[in-house]
Amino acid sequence: MVFKVEDLWVKVQGHDKYILKGVDLSIGKGEVHVLMGPNGSGKSTLLKTIIGMPQYKIARGTILFMGKEINNLQPYERAKMGIGIAFQSPPRIRVKTEYLIKLITTKFRTRLLPYEEYGISHLVSRDLYNGFSGGEMKRTEMYLTILQRPKLALLDEPDSGVDVDSLALIAKGIEQLMEEGASILLVTHLGYILKYLDVVTELHVMINGKIVYSGEPEKALDLILTHGYSYFVKGGD
Ligand code: ADP
Ligand code: MG
């Protein structure tokens, strides 16, 4: 088992309410797990807790990665161990994209990937995400994640707000991660990206801070698109 979350309860610093309420999830080597759920159900919170963002406080439960509990590790330690994230809404920063790319290849001792394959050649000389379109941002975020050669890639809605051309490039990026043996946790809003992916291990549905359904991806997506998430709230059949 590459990655396992057991009975995870999480609050945001300064707030009383639990956002995650007992999440359980296991991901094996090279597996692709898809996470779907209504807005505000806690998907991004789960990913941000996994990478150790300090506002997200674990009240109960454990996060295991490569057989080690990582609950109290700093984000950079988790990144060094091989956890990479493509954020849903990454911050704009005043750093040249190309500078960050060089920094990642140096720190992670990885090879540069061709910019043109990700459609980012025209972007690398610009400040990261400043004035980028939705597709440009998602493609760049995907590129930066793959560049780290993560063992576990957390992809938070890489397919949201992108056109079909970008979608195909992002799907190629996911395939590249898979070829390199990464385990993947992919959050998707409407599931379009699943049409491009051959092998998905399992699809999970999160509602109100809990995974309420895990199953065969095609069947689960069909249930979601046909009945909506209320199907899972009521418990399904
Ligand atoms: P999802 O990604 O499933 O749409 P999120 O994990 O972003 O949902 O959010 C889950 C809930 O937690 C929402 O009600 C959101 O407002 C709240 N939340 C997440 N992060 C924070 C934060 N930093 N401060 C306050 N509330 C937060
Ligand atoms: Mg989210």
Side-chain angles (χ1 to χ4, degrees):
M1 197 58 58
V2 170
F3 175 76
K4 191 168 188 176
V5 159
E6 286 173 328
D7 193 29
L8 193 67
W9 291 71
V10 170
K11 285 179 181 175
V12 174
Q13 191 161 34
H15 297 258
D16 280 341
K17 234 179 54 189
Y18 283 104
I19 300 175
L20 301 183
K21 304 168 187 173
V23 174
D24 291 291
L25 182 66
S26 295
I27 303 180
K29 181 157 170 48
E31 289 183 356
V32 181
H33 289 247
V34 171
L35 180 62
M36 295 182 74
N39 291 326
S41 56
K43 305 177 299 293
S44 295
T45 297
L46 175 63
L47 269 49
K48 290 177 193 168
T49 306
I50 296 169
I51 63 160
M53 277 178 72
Q55 310 89 299
Y56 296 86
K57 301 291 182 196
I58 300 177
R60 207 166 106 190
T62 47
I63 308 174
L64 297 160
F65 180 57
M66 312 294 288
K68 191 174 174 236
E69 186 185 315
I70 60 165
N71 283 35
N72 298 313
L73 296 187
Q74 295 296 318
Y76 77 89
E77 294 174 304
R78 303 181 200 211
K80 264 168 59 182
M81 285 177 77
I83 300 180
I85 186 165
F87 286 104
Q88 181 178 356
S89 319
R92 286 186 207 115
I93 50 177
R94 288 195 57 194
V95 165
K96 292 265 177 282
T97 305
E98 198 156 34
Y99 175 79
L100 195 63
I101 289 170
K102 295 262 157 62
L103 201 62
I104 290 172
T105 52
T106 308
K107 290 276 179 196
F108 288 85
R109 297 199 179 86
T110 53
R111 257 182 317 110
L112 206 66
L113 298 159
Y115 297 151
E116 56 284 2
E117 279 183 23
Y118 293 83
I120 62 164
S121 309
H122 62 298
L123 301 168
V124 293
S125 63
R126 286 167 49 183
D127 283 354
L128 191 66
Y129 304 138
N130 284 272
F132 284 34
S133 72
E136 288 173 340
M137 181 185 84
K138 295 289 182 181
R139 294 194 316 260
T140 307
E141 190 66 3
M142 195 69 197
Y143 180 91
L144 295 176
T145 305
I146 299 171
L147 210 52
Q148 296 168 38
R149 301 303 197 289
K151 293 191 183 81
L152 173 67
L154 309 170
L155 309 174
D156 200 349
E157 299 197 20
D159 54 343
S160 284
V162 307
D163 58 31
V164 272
D165 299 338
S166 286
L167 200 59
L169 288 179
I170 284 160
K172 253 180 66 186
I174 296 175
E175 270 164 14
Q176 163 125 19
L177 284 166
M178 288 160 70
E179 276 166 26
E180 291 172 4
S183 304
I184 296 172
L185 179 55
L186 167 67
V187 177
T188 176
H189 189 53
L190 288 169
Y192 291 134
I193 192 89
L194 300 183
K195 290 197 179 73
Y196 292 80
L197 302 177
D198 289 338
V199 207
V200 173
T201 313
E202 212 172 14
L203 190 153
H204 310 272
V205 176
M206 178 177 275
I207 305 224
N208 196 13
K210 240 182 119 58
I211 290 175
V212 297
Y213 176 95
S214 298
E216 196 272 313
E218 245 170 71
K219 181 175 167 235
L221 186 63
D222 190 46
L223 285 173
I224 294 166
L225 297 180
T226 313
H227 303 285
Y229 289 112
S230 60
Y231 176 87
F232 300 92
V233 179
K234 289 174 196 138
D237 51 19

mmCIF file of all heavy atoms in Angstrom, residues 140-180:
data_model
loop_
_atom_site.group_PDB
_atom_site.id
_atom_site.type_symbol
_atom_site.label_atom_id
_atom_site.label_comp_id
_atom_site.label_asym_id
_atom_site.label_seq_id
_atom_site.Cartn_x
_atom_site.Cartn_y
_atom_site.Cartn_z
ATOM 1 N N THR A 140 -0.073 24.208 -16.965
ATOM 2 C CA THR A 140 1.183 24.528 -16.284
ATOM 3 C C THR A 140 1.249 23.812 -14.935
ATOM 4 O O THR A 140 2.286 23.243 -14.565
ATOM 5 C CB THR A 140 1.311 26.054 -16.074
ATOM 6 O OG1 THR A 140 1.128 26.703 -17.330
ATOM 7 C CG2 THR A 140 2.664 26.425 -15.498
ATOM 8 N N GLU A 141 0.142 23.822 -14.210
ATOM 9 C CA GLU A 141 0.090 23.164 -12.895
ATOM 10 C C GLU A 141 0.369 21.664 -13.043
ATOM 11 O O GLU A 141 1.082 21.064 -12.246
ATOM 12 C CB GLU A 141 -1.294 23.428 -12.288
ATOM 13 C CG GLU A 141 -1.484 23.046 -10.848
ATOM 14 C CD GLU A 141 -0.674 23.837 -9.827
ATOM 15 O OE1 GLU A 141 0.047 24.776 -10.190
ATOM 16 O OE2 GLU A 141 -0.754 23.480 -8.642
ATOM 17 N N MET A 142 -0.175 21.089 -14.090
ATOM 18 C CA MET A 142 0.050 19.667 -14.384
ATOM 19 C C MET A 142 1.531 19.427 -14.710
ATOM 20 O O MET A 142 2.138 18.478 -14.211
ATOM 21 C CB MET A 142 -0.826 19.307 -15.592
ATOM 22 C CG MET A 142 -0.999 17.854 -15.816
ATOM 23 S SD MET A 142 -2.013 17.146 -14.510
ATOM 24 C CE MET A 142 -1.590 15.465 -14.768
ATOM 25 N N TYR A 143 2.087 20.307 -15.543
ATOM 26 C CA TYR A 143 3.505 20.190 -15.924
ATOM 27 C C TYR A 143 4.393 20.229 -14.682
ATOM 28 O O TYR A 143 5.295 19.395 -14.516
ATOM 29 C CB TYR A 143 3.861 21.340 -16.881
ATOM 30 C CG TYR A 143 5.307 21.337 -17.339
ATOM 31 C CD1 TYR A 143 5.676 20.665 -18.499
ATOM 32 C CD2 TYR A 143 6.293 21.988 -16.613
ATOM 33 C CE1 TYR A 143 7.000 20.644 -18.922
ATOM 34 C CE2 TYR A 143 7.617 21.979 -17.020
ATOM 35 C CZ TYR A 143 7.967 21.306 -18.174
ATOM 36 O OH TYR A 143 9.280 21.286 -18.579
ATOM 37 N N LEU A 144 4.145 21.190 -13.800
ATOM 38 C CA LEU A 144 4.981 21.350 -12.604
ATOM 39 C C LEU A 144 4.863 20.126 -11.687
ATOM 40 O O LEU A 144 5.831 19.730 -11.048
ATOM 41 C CB LEU A 144 4.575 22.612 -11.829
ATOM 42 C CG LEU A 144 4.802 23.950 -12.545
ATOM 43 C CD1 LEU A 144 4.261 25.101 -11.705
ATOM 44 C CD2 LEU A 144 6.282 24.166 -12.851
ATOM 45 N N THR A 145 3.678 19.532 -11.655
ATOM 46 C CA THR A 145 3.472 18.344 -10.822
ATOM 47 C C THR A 145 4.238 17.154 -11.387
ATOM 48 O O THR A 145 4.940 16.452 -10.659
ATOM 49 C CB THR A 145 1.962 18.010 -10.717
ATOM 50 O OG1 THR A 145 1.284 19.173 -10.249
ATOM 51 C CG2 THR A 145 1.710 16.861 -9.764
ATOM 52 N N ILE A 146 4.125 16.955 -12.694
ATOM 53 C CA ILE A 146 4.810 15.813 -13.320
ATOM 54 C C ILE A 146 6.320 15.961 -13.195
ATOM 55 O O ILE A 146 7.053 14.992 -13.000
ATOM 56 C CB ILE A 146 4.400 15.665 -14.804
ATOM 57 C CG1 ILE A 146 2.899 15.408 -14.896
ATOM 58 C CG2 ILE A 146 5.160 14.526 -15.474
ATOM 59 C CD1 ILE A 146 2.361 15.450 -16.307
ATOM 60 N N LEU A 147 6.785 17.201 -13.282
ATOM 61 C CA LEU A 147 8.220 17.484 -13.198
ATOM 62 C C LEU A 147 8.829 16.964 -11.893
ATOM 63 O O LEU A 147 10.004 16.609 -11.842
ATOM 64 C CB LEU A 147 8.411 19.003 -13.281
ATOM 65 C CG LEU A 147 9.691 19.543 -13.885
ATOM 66 C CD1 LEU A 147 9.966 18.939 -15.245
ATOM 67 C CD2 LEU A 147 9.617 21.061 -13.988
ATOM 68 N N GLN A 148 8.023 16.903 -10.847
ATOM 69 C CA GLN A 148 8.523 16.427 -9.547
ATOM 70 C C GLN A 148 8.628 14.906 -9.494
ATOM 71 O O GLN A 148 9.126 14.355 -8.520
ATOM 72 C CB GLN A 148 7.591 16.897 -8.425
ATOM 73 C CG GLN A 148 7.552 18.399 -8.270
ATOM 74 C CD GLN A 148 6.412 18.855 -7.365
ATOM 75 O OE1 GLN A 148 6.098 18.214 -6.370
ATOM 76 N NE2 GLN A 148 5.791 19.960 -7.711
ATOM 77 N N ARG A 149 8.122 14.215 -10.511
ATOM 78 C CA ARG A 149 8.082 12.751 -10.533
ATOM 79 C C ARG A 149 7.528 12.195 -9.231
ATOM 80 O O ARG A 149 8.195 11.426 -8.533
ATOM 81 C CB ARG A 149 9.483 12.157 -10.803
ATOM 82 C CG ARG A 149 10.129 12.573 -12.108
ATOM 83 C CD ARG A 149 9.234 12.207 -13.283
ATOM 84 N NE ARG A 149 9.893 12.191 -14.552
ATOM 85 C CZ ARG A 149 10.336 13.265 -15.235
ATOM 86 N NH1 ARG A 149 10.218 14.462 -14.721
ATOM 87 N NH2 ARG A 149 10.878 13.130 -16.409
ATOM 88 N N PRO A 150 6.313 12.592 -8.850
ATOM 89 C CA PRO A 150 5.763 12.143 -7.567
ATOM 90 C C PRO A 150 5.443 10.649 -7.549
ATOM 91 O O PRO A 150 5.140 10.067 -8.588
ATOM 92 C CB PRO A 150 4.475 12.964 -7.442
ATOM 93 C CG PRO A 150 4.078 13.249 -8.846
ATOM 94 C CD PRO A 150 5.363 13.401 -9.625
ATOM 95 N N LYS A 151 5.520 10.071 -6.364
ATOM 96 C CA LYS A 151 5.061 8.681 -6.191
ATOM 97 C C LYS A 151 3.551 8.680 -5.990
ATOM 98 O O LYS A 151 2.862 7.742 -6.323
ATOM 99 C CB LYS A 151 5.723 8.053 -4.955
ATOM 100 C CG LYS A 151 7.220 7.849 -5.085
ATOM 101 C CD LYS A 151 7.695 6.983 -3.911
ATOM 102 C CE LYS A 151 9.200 6.791 -3.937
ATOM 103 N NZ LYS A 151 9.910 7.956 -3.354
ATOM 104 N N LEU A 152 3.071 9.776 -5.377
ATOM 105 C CA LEU A 152 1.621 9.971 -5.221
ATOM 106 C C LEU A 152 1.286 11.351 -5.767
ATOM 107 O O LEU A 152 1.791 12.360 -5.273
ATOM 108 C CB LEU A 152 1.224 9.892 -3.740
ATOM 109 C CG LEU A 152 -0.240 10.244 -3.442
ATOM 110 C CD1 LEU A 152 -1.195 9.204 -4.031
ATOM 111 C CD2 LEU A 152 -0.477 10.359 -1.925
ATOM 112 N N ALA A 153 0.465 11.386 -6.810
ATOM 113 C CA ALA A 153 0.068 12.672 -7.389
ATOM 114 C C ALA A 153 -1.379 12.967 -7.000
ATOM 115 O O ALA A 153 -2.276 12.154 -7.231
ATOM 116 C CB ALA A 153 0.200 12.621 -8.911
ATOM 117 N N LEU A 154 -1.578 14.124 -6.388
ATOM 118 C CA LEU A 154 -2.913 14.570 -5.999
ATOM 119 C C LEU A 154 -3.336 15.619 -7.011
ATOM 120 O O LEU A 154 -2.710 16.678 -7.104
ATOM 121 C CB LEU A 154 -2.870 15.184 -4.589
ATOM 122 C CG LEU A 154 -2.195 14.318 -3.515
ATOM 123 C CD1 LEU A 154 -2.001 15.113 -2.226
ATOM 124 C CD2 LEU A 154 -3.018 13.066 -3.248
ATOM 125 N N LEU A 155 -4.358 15.339 -7.787
ATOM 126 C CA LEU A 155 -4.755 16.236 -8.877
ATOM 127 C C LEU A 155 -6.141 16.779 -8.577
ATOM 128 O O LEU A 155 -7.128 16.040 -8.619
ATOM 129 C CB LEU A 155 -4.736 15.478 -10.208
ATOM 130 C CG LEU A 155 -3.442 14.697 -10.514
ATOM 131 C CD1 LEU A 155 -3.592 13.873 -11.795
ATOM 132 C CD2 LEU A 155 -2.244 15.640 -10.626
ATOM 133 N N ASP A 156 -6.197 18.072 -8.250
ATOM 134 C CA ASP A 156 -7.459 18.669 -7.808
ATOM 135 C C ASP A 156 -8.142 19.403 -8.959
ATOM 136 O O ASP A 156 -7.787 20.538 -9.295
ATOM 137 C CB ASP A 156 -7.212 19.621 -6.627
ATOM 138 C CG ASP A 156 -8.488 19.890 -5.833
ATOM 139 O OD1 ASP A 156 -9.584 19.505 -6.315
ATOM 140 O OD2 ASP A 156 -8.396 20.491 -4.745
ATOM 141 N N GLU A 157 -9.101 18.734 -9.559
ATOM 142 C CA GLU A 157 -9.869 19.275 -10.682
ATOM 143 C C GLU A 157 -8.980 19.820 -11.807
ATOM 144 O O GLU A 157 -9.129 20.974 -12.214
ATOM 145 C CB GLU A 157 -10.850 20.354 -10.208
ATOM 146 C CG GLU A 157 -11.868 19.812 -9.200
ATOM 147 C CD GLU A 157 -13.077 20.710 -9.035
ATOM 148 O OE1 GLU A 157 -13.349 21.532 -9.923
ATOM 149 O OE2 GLU A 157 -13.773 20.573 -8.005
ATOM 150 N N PRO A 158 -8.057 19.000 -12.324
ATOM 151 C CA PRO A 158 -7.211 19.473 -13.418
ATOM 152 C C PRO A 158 -8.004 19.726 -14.698
ATOM 153 O O PRO A 158 -7.521 20.375 -15.618
ATOM 154 C CB PRO A 158 -6.209 18.326 -13.624
ATOM 155 C CG PRO A 158 -6.931 17.104 -13.148
ATOM 156 C CD PRO A 158 -7.790 17.580 -11.996
ATOM 157 N N ASP A 159 -9.245 19.218 -14.733
ATOM 158 C CA ASP A 159 -10.076 19.310 -15.942
ATOM 159 C C ASP A 159 -11.154 20.387 -15.844
ATOM 160 O O ASP A 159 -11.973 20.520 -16.743
ATOM 161 C CB ASP A 159 -10.728 17.946 -16.226
ATOM 162 C CG ASP A 159 -11.497 17.387 -15.028
ATOM 163 O OD1 ASP A 159 -11.287 17.868 -13.893
ATOM 164 O OD2 ASP A 159 -12.307 16.463 -15.211
ATOM 165 N N SER A 160 -11.165 21.149 -14.739
ATOM 166 C CA SER A 160 -12.220 22.160 -14.590
ATOM 167 C C SER A 160 -11.896 23.415 -15.379
ATOM 168 O O SER A 160 -10.791 23.943 -15.296
ATOM 169 C CB SER A 160 -12.406 22.534 -13.122
ATOM 170 O OG SER A 160 -13.105 21.522 -12.462
ATOM 171 N N GLY A 161 -12.864 23.882 -16.130
ATOM 172 C CA GLY A 161 -12.731 25.141 -16.855
ATOM 173 C C GLY A 161 -11.755 25.105 -18.016
ATOM 174 O O GLY A 161 -11.253 26.141 -18.429
ATOM 175 N N VAL A 162 -11.490 23.930 -18.557
ATOM 176 C CA VAL A 162 -10.574 23.861 -19.700
ATOM 177 C C VAL A 162 -11.312 23.396 -20.957
ATOM 178 O O VAL A 162 -12.313 22.677 -20.859
ATOM 179 C CB VAL A 162 -9.356 22.928 -19.430
ATOM 180 C CG1 VAL A 162 -8.649 23.322 -18.151
ATOM 181 C CG2 VAL A 162 -9.774 21.466 -19.373
ATOM 182 N N ASP A 163 -10.793 23.817 -22.115
ATOM 183 C CA ASP A 163 -11.424 23.391 -23.363
ATOM 184 C C ASP A 163 -10.962 21.969 -23.724
ATOM 185 O O ASP A 163 -10.075 21.417 -23.078
ATOM 186 C CB ASP A 163 -11.126 24.384 -24.483
ATOM 187 C CG ASP A 163 -9.638 24.552 -24.721
ATOM 188 O OD1 ASP A 163 -8.881 23.577 -24.504
ATOM 189 O OD2 ASP A 163 -9.208 25.651 -25.111
ATOM 190 N N VAL A 164 -11.550 21.397 -24.769
ATOM 191 C CA VAL A 164 -11.240 20.000 -25.114
ATOM 192 C C VAL A 164 -9.769 19.776 -25.447
ATOM 193 O O VAL A 164 -9.221 18.721 -25.144
ATOM 194 C CB VAL A 164 -12.098 19.457 -26.290
ATOM 195 C CG1 VAL A 164 -13.383 18.878 -25.783
ATOM 196 C CG2 VAL A 164 -12.343 20.506 -27.331
ATOM 197 N N ASP A 165 -9.124 20.791 -26.087
ATOM 198 C CA ASP A 165 -7.708 20.620 -26.441
ATOM 199 C C ASP A 165 -6.852 20.502 -25.189
ATOM 200 O O ASP A 165 -5.975 19.639 -25.091
ATOM 201 C CB ASP A 165 -7.216 21.797 -27.298
ATOM 202 C CG ASP A 165 -7.995 21.890 -28.598
ATOM 203 O OD1 ASP A 165 -8.573 20.865 -29.013
ATOM 204 O OD2 ASP A 165 -8.030 22.986 -29.176
ATOM 205 N N SER A 166 -7.128 21.379 -24.216
ATOM 206 C CA SER A 166 -6.393 21.314 -22.955
ATOM 207 C C SER A 166 -6.693 20.012 -22.221
ATOM 208 O O SER A 166 -5.811 19.400 -21.627
ATOM 209 C CB SER A 166 -6.754 22.485 -22.044
ATOM 210 O OG SER A 166 -6.164 23.671 -22.504
ATOM 211 N N LEU A 167 -7.931 19.597 -22.297
ATOM 212 C CA LEU A 167 -8.343 18.358 -21.634
ATOM 213 C C LEU A 167 -7.511 17.182 -22.142
ATOM 214 O O LEU A 167 -7.034 16.358 -21.352
ATOM 215 C CB LEU A 167 -9.832 18.127 -21.924
ATOM 216 C CG LEU A 167 -10.587 17.197 -20.983
ATOM 217 C CD1 LEU A 167 -10.535 17.719 -19.560
ATOM 218 C CD2 LEU A 167 -12.038 17.066 -21.424
ATOM 219 N N ALA A 168 -7.307 17.128 -23.460
ATOM 220 C CA ALA A 168 -6.515 16.041 -24.039
ATOM 221 C C ALA A 168 -5.069 16.101 -23.545
ATOM 222 O O ALA A 168 -4.469 15.069 -23.235
ATOM 223 C CB ALA A 168 -6.568 16.122 -25.562
ATOM 224 N N LEU A 169 -4.509 17.325 -23.451
ATOM 225 C CA LEU A 169 -3.132 17.465 -22.961
ATOM 226 C C LEU A 169 -3.030 17.039 -21.505
ATOM 227 O O LEU A 169 -2.066 16.395 -21.089
ATOM 228 C CB LEU A 169 -2.654 18.921 -23.098
ATOM 229 C CG LEU A 169 -2.358 19.419 -24.509
ATOM 230 C CD1 LEU A 169 -1.920 20.875 -24.486
ATOM 231 C CD2 LEU A 169 -1.269 18.568 -25.164
ATOM 232 N N ILE A 170 -4.040 17.402 -20.730
ATOM 233 C CA ILE A 170 -4.027 17.048 -19.307
ATOM 234 C C ILE A 170 -4.177 15.534 -19.132
ATOM 235 O O ILE A 170 -3.501 14.927 -18.308
ATOM 236 C CB ILE A 170 -5.097 17.856 -18.541
ATOM 237 C CG1 ILE A 170 -4.553 19.288 -18.360
ATOM 238 C CG2 ILE A 170 -5.426 17.252 -17.195
ATOM 239 C CD1 ILE A 170 -5.561 20.332 -18.072
ATOM 240 N N ALA A 171 -5.019 14.928 -19.950
ATOM 241 C CA ALA A 171 -5.156 13.466 -19.915
ATOM 242 C C ALA A 171 -3.833 12.796 -20.270
ATOM 243 O O ALA A 171 -3.438 11.800 -19.649
ATOM 244 C CB ALA A 171 -6.251 13.023 -20.876
ATOM 245 N N LYS A 172 -3.108 13.364 -21.248
ATOM 246 C CA LYS A 172 -1.791 12.817 -21.610
ATOM 247 C C LYS A 172 -0.832 12.906 -20.433
ATOM 248 O O LYS A 172 -0.031 12.006 -20.188
ATOM 249 C CB LYS A 172 -1.205 13.592 -22.803
ATOM 250 C CG LYS A 172 -1.240 12.795 -24.089
ATOM 251 C CD LYS A 172 -0.650 13.568 -25.252
ATOM 252 C CE LYS A 172 0.850 13.830 -25.113
ATOM 253 N NZ LYS A 172 1.359 14.706 -26.183
ATOM 254 N N GLY A 173 -0.935 14.010 -19.710
ATOM 255 C CA GLY A 173 -0.106 14.192 -18.509
ATOM 256 C C GLY A 173 -0.400 13.136 -17.456
ATOM 257 O O GLY A 173 0.519 12.570 -16.853
ATOM 258 N N ILE A 174 -1.670 12.835 -17.283
ATOM 259 C CA ILE A 174 -2.046 11.809 -16.297
ATOM 260 C C ILE A 174 -1.506 10.445 -16.745
ATOM 261 O O ILE A 174 -0.981 9.677 -15.944
ATOM 262 C CB ILE A 174 -3.583 11.760 -16.112
ATOM 263 C CG1 ILE A 174 -4.066 13.091 -15.517
ATOM 264 C CG2 ILE A 174 -3.993 10.602 -15.204
ATOM 265 C CD1 ILE A 174 -5.568 13.234 -15.387
ATOM 266 N N GLU A 175 -1.601 10.200 -18.056
ATOM 267 C CA GLU A 175 -1.064 8.935 -18.575
ATOM 268 C C GLU A 175 0.444 8.836 -18.345
ATOM 269 O O GLU A 175 0.963 7.779 -18.022
ATOM 270 C CB GLU A 175 -1.371 8.799 -20.061
ATOM 271 C CG GLU A 175 -2.692 8.107 -20.270
ATOM 272 C CD GLU A 175 -3.231 8.294 -21.673
ATOM 273 O OE1 GLU A 175 -2.480 8.739 -22.572
ATOM 274 O OE2 GLU A 175 -4.426 8.025 -21.859
ATOM 275 N N GLN A 176 1.133 9.960 -18.508
ATOM 276 C CA GLN A 176 2.578 9.977 -18.274
ATOM 277 C C GLN A 176 2.893 9.613 -16.814
ATOM 278 O O GLN A 176 3.788 8.819 -16.539
ATOM 279 C CB GLN A 176 3.122 11.362 -18.598
ATOM 280 C CG GLN A 176 4.499 11.624 -18.027
ATOM 281 C CD GLN A 176 5.493 12.054 -19.075
ATOM 282 O OE1 GLN A 176 5.123 12.493 -20.153
ATOM 283 N NE2 GLN A 176 6.768 11.921 -18.755
ATOM 284 N N LEU A 177 2.128 10.195 -15.888
ATOM 285 C CA LEU A 177 2.307 9.862 -14.467
ATOM 286 C C LEU A 177 2.091 8.367 -14.244
ATOM 287 O O LEU A 177 2.831 7.716 -13.521
ATOM 288 C CB LEU A 177 1.320 10.652 -13.607
ATOM 289 C CG LEU A 177 1.618 12.128 -13.362
ATOM 290 C CD1 LEU A 177 0.393 12.828 -12.791
ATOM 291 C CD2 LEU A 177 2.802 12.295 -12.415
ATOM 292 N N MET A 178 1.067 7.826 -14.894
ATOM 293 C CA MET A 178 0.764 6.403 -14.753
ATOM 294 C C MET A 178 1.898 5.547 -15.303
ATOM 295 O O MET A 178 2.294 4.557 -14.681
ATOM 296 C CB MET A 178 -0.549 6.070 -15.468
ATOM 297 C CG MET A 178 -1.769 6.618 -14.748
ATOM 298 S SD MET A 178 -3.224 6.770 -15.799
ATOM 299 C CE MET A 178 -3.650 5.075 -16.053
ATOM 300 N N GLU A 179 2.439 5.948 -16.467
ATOM 301 C CA GLU A 179 3.544 5.190 -17.067
ATOM 302 C C GLU A 179 4.753 5.154 -16.153
ATOM 303 O O GLU A 179 5.502 4.189 -16.125
ATOM 304 C CB GLU A 179 3.960 5.820 -18.405
ATOM 305 C CG GLU A 179 3.119 5.361 -19.564
ATOM 306 C CD GLU A 179 3.319 6.239 -20.789
ATOM 307 O OE1 GLU A 179 4.402 6.864 -20.924
ATOM 308 O OE2 GLU A 179 2.371 6.318 -21.604
ATOM 309 N N GLU A 180 4.926 6.233 -15.403
ATOM 310 C CA GLU A 180 6.070 6.294 -14.498
ATOM 311 C C GLU A 180 5.790 5.604 -13.164
ATOM 312 O O GLU A 180 6.604 5.655 -12.253
ATOM 313 C CB GLU A 180 6.480 7.758 -14.296
ATOM 314 C CG GLU A 180 7.081 8.344 -15.567
ATOM 315 C CD GLU A 180 7.330 9.840 -15.499
ATOM 316 O OE1 GLU A 180 7.103 10.434 -14.431
ATOM 317 O OE2 GLU A 180 7.759 10.400 -16.517
#
